Amino acid sequence: MKSLRRMSRFLKPYKSKLIIAVLAIFLAAVLTAAAPSVEGLATSQLASDVLDIQKGVTGAHIQFDIIWKIIIVLLAMYILNAISRMTMQYLISDAIQSAVFDLRMSVKEKMTQLPVRYFDEHSAGDLMSRMTTDIEVMSNALQQSFSQVVMSVLSLVFAVIMMFVINWQMALIVSTIIPMTYFASKYIISKSQEMFEIQQASLGNLNSIVQEKFTGFNEIKLYNYQENAIEEFKEANSNLAENGCKANFISGLMSISVTMLTYIVIAVAVFIGAIKVSQGLLLVGSLQAFVRYIWQVNQPLTQLTQLAPTIQSSIAAIDRVFDYLDEENDIEDVDKPVRLEDFQGSVEFKNISFAYTDTPIIKDVSVEINPGEMVAIVGPTGAGKTTIINLLMRFYDVDEGAILVDGIDIRDMRRDDLRSLFGMVLQDTWLFSGKIKDNIAYGKPNASEQDIIEAAKRANVHHFITTLPNAYDMELNEESSNISNGEKQLITIARALLSDPKILILDEATSSVDTRLDAMIQEAMAELMKGRTTFIIA
């Protein structure tokens, strides 16, 4: 419920639309409640006229003029009811979609505020599930349930009132449905909510597996791992199906319980009502209206119980979204950050120690690097090469010791200021879908086209780009699979050249480039690294 209250904050800016929508729902509920009584008037009038004719009352006839007036009133009520419902649906859709838009923006903004550690500790598939599937589940639930819940509650209240107006003894009998339904639903919900939370977690796990298999599709085919991949997916899929079946079956018992109770109450009410009609204590039209009101009690109760799985699933989903939003930000913890005015380029690792878990990766390391020096970080996989770079850029903070840039502890600097000093070319290239020139200018958005071309020439990728359709305006697809890995690497190198960093980091930067291009890049890099402190992971 805490998450639902927090979601209401996103709806608050659109409360005027929601208020008008609730008024429209109120009008629709009143009209819905009034309709059976008006229908009953027509039935009673017709029954009375027929009875007078059968008794031979002088001048007795069916008064169609009165019946037609009642029908016209009914028609007007139905049309106004439909207009109210359409107005309500439009306003609610607009308000909810706007609120969900704001929520998605908050999720996106949160992504830029979280520390790297968070993404290292969570699978990409689970995060994607929280950011897309869970939000969509919640959006659909709000869209479906908000108006139905309000409409159901109002319809239920008005239907009960109208039954008491017709006959209070019979209304008391029918009203027993409500407390019985409440206690049955409360018990069932307590049992099924946990299953819905497990279901959403299973869905996140399934999305994680799907994302992993799509990413490694070529390797799966290469090593004939298809059957194992299918079995892994089958297990996760089976787990999701099993948990979903349990959650929906238990939750579905509510609708069955309400329907069974309603049939029993209708039978009792019709029996008692028939006796009252035969005794002249109740009009036949009133009995007809009363039975209609029983169904108007049943319908909102049934709708509420049918919505229970959707609502419970959305609660589980929204909890996961707000758990993500509640994660601790990568906040700046410096009251008066230091800004480097005259950057020289010296770097010192001073007795640093670091561990991702309980196992130390780096222990009591001290290194002094002079301005403009080129430093190679060499070692086997897992030796901590990339970890040193992560610490240098404050993706993680050291457990002990300090890292100094120009004698300043990097923890005394704003992270944005620190990272603006660096340019990186990674082993795993990353390009976004868009034009090649925009990818090169990613680190320097205001760069001129001539600057972009010059950077591409220095990275020895200009000639290749000019041979492509539309040259620098060529659109890269989502995976950048319409160019080779080596060409992608060259473009990322051109990006680093254009940003003109103070400190350069090359993490296996030429690993995807053939020997001929490697020699050309080394020559360009030698020029680039003059006067710059450079770290090369090899």
Side-chain angles (χ1 to χ4, degrees):
M1 290 303 171
K2 180 181 177 182
S3 296
L4 289 177
R5 286 195 297 270
R6 291 182 61 182
M7 186 62 207
S8 66
R9 298 175 191 171
F10 286 90
L11 290 166
K12 190 174 181 180
Y14 312 100
K15 64 180 180 180
S16 58
K17 294 180 181 178
L18 292 174
I19 290 172
I20 297 173
V22 170
L23 292 175
I25 295 174
F26 184 85
L27 178 59
V30 170
L31 293 170
T32 300
S37 293
V38 178
E39 293 169 4
L41 291 175
T43 302
S44 295
Q45 181 65 47
L46 182 60
S48 177
D49 291 343
V50 170
L51 186 61
D52 288 345
I53 293 171
Q54 290 176 343
K55 289 180 178 180
V57 176
T58 304
H61 65 282
I62 296 176
Q63 302 181 59
F64 285 106
D65 55 335
I66 296 177
I67 294 173
W68 276 113
K69 288 178 181 178
I70 295 173
I71 292 174
I72 291 171
V73 170
L74 270 175
L75 183 61
M77 291 171 64
Y78 292 147
I79 293 173
L80 185 57
N81 194 336
I83 294 173
S84 298
R85 288 172 182 268
M86 284 189 292
T87 303
M88 168 267 296
Q89 194 62 45
Y90 171 77
L91 292 173
I92 286 178
S93 298
D94 188 15
I96 289 175
Q97 290 305 316
S98 298
V100 171
F101 171 84
D102 294 340
L103 178 62
R104 287 197 181 101
M105 291 304 299
S106 295
V107 168
K108 174 60 179 175
E109 290 170 7
K110 183 70 176 183
M111 187 187 301
T112 64
Q113 298 167 353
L114 287 170
V116 173
R117 183 186 295 273
Y118 178 81
F119 296 98
D120 289 343
E121 293 173 352
H122 293 78
S123 68
D126 181 63
L127 292 175
M128 287 294 294
S129 180
R130 292 173 191 254
M131 298 176 188
T132 55
T133 306
D134 287 341
I135 291 179
E136 195 60 27
V137 166
M138 182 194 61
S139 172
N140 291 335
L142 282 173
Q143 194 74 47
Q144 295 172 20
S145 62
F146 183 86
S147 58
Q148 288 192 34
V149 168
V150 176
M151 184 69 181
S152 295
V153 171
L154 290 174
S155 297
L156 182 63
V157 171
F158 290 141
V160 171
I161 291 172
M162 294 303 294
M163 284 192 294
F164 272 97
V165 170
I166 293 172
N167 189 282
W168 68 269
Q169 296 100 330
M170 293 170 60
L172 282 176
I173 296 172
V174 175
S175 298
T176 59
I177 297 178
I178 299 171
M180 287 191 290
T181 300
Y182 170 76
F183 289 113
S185 300
K186 184 177 181 180
Y187 176 77
I188 293 171
I189 287 174
S190 68
K191 298 295 182 182
S192 59
Q193 183 59 46
E194 183 180 350
M195 296 305 304
F196 277 103
E197 292 172 358
I198 296 173
Q199 177 189 353
Q200 287 304 120
S202 300
L203 178 59
N205 180 53
L206 182 70
N207 287 335
S208 179
I209 290 174
V210 170
Q211 189 269 342
E212 180 184 78
K213 301 313 173 193
F214 272 125
T215 302
F217 182 75
N218 291 341
E219 286 75 9
I220 290 173
K221 298 286 284 186
L222 174 64
Y223 292 105
N224 295 317
Y225 202 78
Q226 295 95 318
E227 292 300 323
N228 302 72
I230 290 171
E231 283 301 316
E232 190 174 350
F233 178 83
K234 182 179 179 181
E235 182 179 352
N237 193 21
S238 175
N239 188 38
L240 174 60
E242 181 181 351
N243 291 323
C245 177
K246 289 178 181 178
N248 285 279
F249 172 75
I250 295 173
S251 187
L253 293 176
M254 286 189 289
S255 178
I256 297 171
S257 302
V258 172
T259 302
M260 181 182 67
L261 289 171
T262 302
Y263 282 133
I264 294 172
V265 170
I266 285 176
V268 174
V270 169
F271 177 74
I272 296 173
I275 294 174
K276 289 182 177 295
V277 170
S278 65
Q279 294 174 343
L281 301 175
L282 190 69
L283 294 174
V284 66
S286 297
L287 178 58
Q288 172 200 334
F290 196 91
V291 173
R292 284 287 307 277
Y293 284 126
I294 294 176
W295 281 111
Q296 282 197 10
V297 170
N298 168 263
Q299 286 175 354
L301 290 176
T302 302
Q303 287 176 344
L304 290 172
T305 54
Q306 287 175 343
L307 282 173
T310 302
I311 293 172
Q312 287 180 279
S313 180
S314 69
I315 291 173
I318 197 172
D319 284 343
R320 282 165 50 82
V321 174
F322 280 113
D323 283 345
Y324 166 83
L325 291 175
D326 287 339
E327 287 292 333
E328 187 176 347
N329 289 341
D330 193 11
I331 58 175
E332 295 291 349
D333 50 5
V334 183
D335 294 332
K336 296 181 179 180
V338 178
R339 183 185 292 270
L340 290 174
E341 299 295 340
D342 185 20
F343 180 76
Q344 299 297 317
S346 69
V347 178
E348 180 182 358
F349 295 88
K350 192 173 183 179
N351 305 112
I352 65 167
S353 297
F354 176 77
Y356 289 106
T357 55
D358 294 333
T359 304
I361 301 295
I362 298 172
K363 188 173 182 180
D364 196 24
V365 172
S366 295
V367 180
E368 290 187 27
I369 300 146
N370 296 320
E373 279 192 334
M374 177 170 57
V375 179
I377 306 175
V378 183
T381 300
K385 303 186 298 295
T386 302
T387 299
I388 290 176
I389 301 303
N390 286 339
L391 295 173
L392 179 61
M393 300 190 68
R394 284 201 72 192
F395 291 149
Y396 292 85
D397 280 327
V398 295
D399 296 330
E400 296 178 11
I403 300 175
L404 310 177
V405 174
D406 280 359
I408 304 299
D409 191 326
I410 61 174
R411 289 171 295 190
D412 293 332
M413 302 173 62
R414 292 180 66 252
R415 286 184 174 86
D416 289 349
D417 292 339
L418 172 67
R419 291 166 187 167
S420 67
L421 304 174
F422 294 91
M424 292 187 71
V425 179
L426 305 176
Q427 180 178 5
D428 297 324
T429 58
W430 178 79
L431 299 175
F432 58 86
S433 56
K435 296 179 180 179
I436 288 179
K437 66 180 182 182
D438 294 332
N439 272 278
I440 295 175
Y442 188 76
K444 192 177 180 181
N446 58 348
S448 67
E449 189 162 343
Q450 186 57 43
D451 291 336
I452 294 171
I453 293 173
E454 183 61 29
K457 287 180 178 179
R458 294 172 66 189
N460 294 307
V461 71
H462 171 71
H463 174 72
F464 159 71
I465 294 174
T466 57
T467 63
L468 296 172
N470 299 323
Y472 284 87
D473 289 321
M474 175 181 168
E475 294 278 342
L476 299 178
N477 59 27
E478 186 175 353
E479 298 294 331
S480 304
S481 58
N482 47 349
I483 59 175
S484 72
N485 286 336
E487 290 152 356
K488 285 192 287 186
Q489 191 69 283
L490 289 169
I491 291 174
T492 63
I493 293 170
R495 176 194 294 167
L497 285 162
L498 181 61
S499 65
D500 193 21
K502 307 295 184 183
I503 301 175
L504 189 63
I505 298 173
L506 308 176
D507 187 352
E508 303 281 3
T510 61
S511 60
S512 300
V513 181
D514 60 43
T515 304
R516 181 180 64 85
L517 286 178
D518 184 45
M520 297 170 65
I521 291 172
Q522 295 296 345
E523 182 180 345
M525 288 296 180
E527 181 64 27
L528 173 67
M529 289 185 286
K530 286 181 180 179
R532 289 186 175 84
T533 305
T534 305
F535 293 86
I536 301 176
I537 298 176

